[in-house]
Amino acid sequence: MADPLVFKVHRQQSELIIPANPTPHDFKPLSDIDDQDGLRVQLPLIFLYRFHPSMRRNDPVRLFKQSLAQTLVFYYPFAGRIREWPNRKLVVECTGEGVLFVEADADVSLEQFGDAIRPPFPCFDELLFDVPGSNGIVNCPLMLIQVTRLMCGGIIIGLRYNHTISDATGILQFWSTVGEMARGARVPTVPPVWERHLLNARDPPSVTCVHEEYTEVADTDENIPLVDKDHRSFFFGKEEISSLRRLAPPHLGHCSRYELLTACMWRCRTIALQPSPEEEMRIICIVNARNTFNPPIPKGYYGNCIAYSAVKARAGDLSQKSIGYAVELLRKAKAKITEEYMRSVADLMVIKGRPWYTMARSFLVSGTARLRFDEVDLGWGRAVFGGPARGNVASFHIAFRNKNGEDGIVVTLCLPKLAMQIFLQELDSMLSKDHPTGGSNTKFTMSSAL
């Protein structure tokens, strides 16, 4: 295993970037989907850009700050602060105070990160400094950004945002607007839409669906600190995906890549954790529900429009049956998400006090591979990597182009260290040509998976 990358970062004093023009001062309530406990978190993203000749003409940090300020004119709630009203209702006070920004320089080049520039990133805490007092949900900046210049001329942008105001689709929309402003636009191609009332509870609220994702489950897992876990990511290109597809039964041969990879990871993860055959294993799929509404959720809506859909299975069935068994379960989970289901979730939030989804004995998966964060052009071309920076709690599917120019999907995973070793062996077995149905020669060894 290669020595861990170590470098020094010199940061300037943090500052607030305010909208470039005056913006309204008002109160904007979040939706009853937005302010559930499970979304009251900060999510980290990272973008890595190689040196571009335009960086010689325009200071990339100054250009970025200007573009960000212009974007905040249209997305001015991001420049405000979350307040909590009675009954734990969250609202954005649009104060125009701005988002928190840090400028930095690092004594490292992009090439030193190696060929696999993907999560988990070394020294991420250096690339996104946790400014004291900035990581709360209420009464704090909604976004923290650090732009770090590298010795090679490239830059790394670390970003942390308050999940209550946007889901992945929404934050990509915001980020794409920053890119448009950097390239000379004056207005966004897709105007932002607030309209959070569209996802509020009904009057009176009525829970009409079964929501296993919010059902309390006894936690039999050991509380293992994150430092004692192994954080990895895995690249699945065309060859690996074809190998897994051959393991599916004929009637599931055309299942989506998300279904295929999630089924594979769920099965291998279950085997790695070595539960008893009768133990219940749960998976929670984070589903974009925008297309389930009639009339549709307006284009440009940047709030949370996601559902946590849970299904469960016996550990013995997941471990012993084919990958098709898990694929069928995942399809059932996705099929549950309808407009009525989302209405029922919003009603449940109001009735039960906005509970957290149940993480006990659960595998949480977010399929963001269709969201091309890496294609956001801030004036310097596409990113070498763009997307979630960590996968400590959820497993993320991230679009990625490797060093050979091959497009594929990176999947993050966090497991206890011993379980990760078993997981690697099981995944190699599924992808091996020695497998009864064939496979690739990919070997996710202890070093190549990093």
Side-chain angles (χ1 to χ4, degrees):
M1 183 177 295
D3 293 332
L5 180 62
V6 177
F7 52 89
K8 294 181 180 179
V9 176
H10 173 72
R11 285 180 293 271
Q12 298 187 19
Q13 186 68 32
S14 61
E15 60 181 304
L16 289 167
I17 305 298
I18 65 173
N21 299 319
T23 55
H25 180 250
D26 53 10
F27 290 86
K28 291 184 174 293
L30 295 173
S31 79
D32 290 319
I33 297 296
D34 287 324
D35 63 6
Q36 58 185 295
D37 274 350
L39 296 179
R40 298 187 184 201
V41 296
Q42 301 270 2
L43 284 187
L45 304 175
I46 190 169
F47 299 81
L48 298 91
Y49 291 92
R50 296 191 189 280
F51 170 76
H52 190 277
S54 67
M55 293 176 177
R56 286 200 183 100
R57 300 188 299 272
N58 296 311
D59 176 12
V61 177
R62 184 179 64 181
L63 175 62
F64 178 82
K65 289 167 66 175
Q66 292 172 346
S67 305
L68 180 60
Q70 292 170 330
T71 300
L72 289 173
V73 174
F74 302 95
Y75 289 85
Y76 66 90
F78 270 104
R81 300 293 183 265
I82 298 287
R83 314 298 188 200
E84 190 170 59
W85 281 0
N87 300 317
R88 304 189 68 235
K89 184 65 190 173
L90 296 185
V91 60
V92 181
E93 182 181 0
C94 300
T95 62
E97 292 175 75
V99 301
L100 199 55
F101 182 86
V102 178
E103 181 178 344
D105 294 273
D107 63 350
V108 67
S109 67
L110 201 57
E111 289 70 24
Q112 288 177 261
F113 282 79
D115 295 327
I117 301 179
R118 61 189 197 228
F121 288 93
C123 302
F124 180 72
D125 291 339
E126 292 289 338
L127 299 171
L128 184 61
F129 177 63
D130 184 13
V131 177
S134 69
N135 61 1
I137 300 303
V138 176
N139 304 324
C140 287
L142 274 72
M143 188 177 293
L144 166 66
I145 302 170
Q146 178 176 318
V147 177
T148 305
R149 298 184 188 89
L150 306 179
M151 290 194 305
C152 60
I155 66 168
I156 297 178
I157 301 176
L159 164 69
R160 189 183 71 197
Y161 75 98
N162 189 321
H163 201 344
T164 63
I165 199 169
S166 285
D167 58 13
T169 301
I171 203 66
L172 176 59
Q173 181 180 309
F174 174 91
W175 203 250
S176 297
T177 300
V178 176
E180 290 179 337
M181 297 299 165
R183 302 194 307 276
R186 295 190 175 183
V187 296
T189 300
V190 179
V193 174
W194 184 260
E195 303 297 328
R196 303 300 170 106
H197 66 275
L198 296 173
L199 289 170
N200 275 346
R202 295 169 287 202
D203 187 15
S206 176
V207 178
T208 56
C209 301
V210 176
H211 298 285
E212 292 188 47
E213 63 272 26
Y214 299 104
T215 302
E216 292 186 10
V217 177
D219 190 356
T220 59
D221 297 336
E222 295 183 14
N223 293 319
I224 301 175
L226 284 175
V227 293
D228 295 327
K229 291 187 177 182
D230 203 345
H231 306 253
R232 292 178 180 263
S233 65
F234 306 87
F235 177 76
F236 293 89
K238 182 178 179 180
E239 184 178 3
E240 289 78 29
I241 291 173
S242 295
S243 296
L244 293 177
R245 202 173 292 283
R246 286 193 290 268
L247 300 180
H251 71 285
L252 294 175
H254 296 289
C255 64
S256 70
R257 293 185 302 173
Y258 170 82
E259 292 166 343
L260 190 67
L261 292 178
T262 303
C264 168
M265 300 295 281
W266 190 22
R267 183 179 186 275
C268 292
R269 179 182 182 274
T270 299
I271 294 172
L273 291 174
Q274 298 181 306
S276 67
E278 297 301 320
E279 186 167 346
E280 177 184 288
M281 307 300 291
R282 295 159 53 89
I283 190 167
I284 300 177
C285 301
I286 302 177
V287 181
N288 184 347
R290 283 168 171 77
N291 294 330
T292 66
F293 285 79
N294 186 22
I297 297 295
K299 185 178 182 181
Y301 183 84
Y302 62 99
N304 288 281
C305 190
I306 55 176
Y308 296 90
S309 183
V311 288
K312 55 190 178 182
R314 290 176 60 255
D317 290 334
L318 279 174
S319 302
Q320 296 167 16
K321 293 184 178 181
S322 75
I323 194 174
Y325 173 73
V327 170
E328 294 275 21
L329 288 174
L330 293 170
R331 287 191 159 185
K332 290 179 181 178
K334 292 168 62 179
K336 290 194 300 183
I337 307 306
T338 62
E339 179 175 351
E340 180 60 29
Y341 195 92
M342 292 296 291
R343 301 291 180 202
S344 182
V345 171
D347 293 349
L348 182 147
M349 290 298 127
V350 171
I351 292 171
K352 293 195 173 183
R354 314 184 193 284
W356 194 290
Y357 52 83
T358 302
M359 278 302 298
R361 290 184 284 150
S362 296
F363 181 36
L364 181 64
V365 182
S366 179
T368 60
R370 292 185 178 181
L371 303 177
R372 297 304 302 250
F373 284 97
D374 60 329
E375 292 183 353
V376 174
D377 182 357
L378 297 169
W380 319 306
R382 69 179 293 154
V384 179
F385 177 90
R390 287 173 170 166
N392 296 348
V393 177
S395 173
F396 291 100
H397 292 204
I398 308 166
F400 183 70
R401 180 174 292 175
N402 68 13
K403 64 176 182 178
N404 299 320
E406 178 187 9
D407 283 315
I409 297 175
V410 161
V411 181
T412 66
L413 188 67
C414 179
L415 283 173
K417 292 179 179 179
L418 179 58
M420 183 63 80
Q421 296 180 40
I422 301 172
F423 176 91
L424 293 171
Q425 295 169 1
E426 187 61 29
L427 182 58
D428 279 342
S429 175
M430 291 188 72
L431 293 170
S432 171
K433 286 185 177 180
D434 295 331
H435 197 281
T437 57
S440 73
N441 284 321
T442 300
K443 287 293 183 182
F444 288 110
T445 62
M446 292 301 290
S447 58
S448 65
L450 288 172

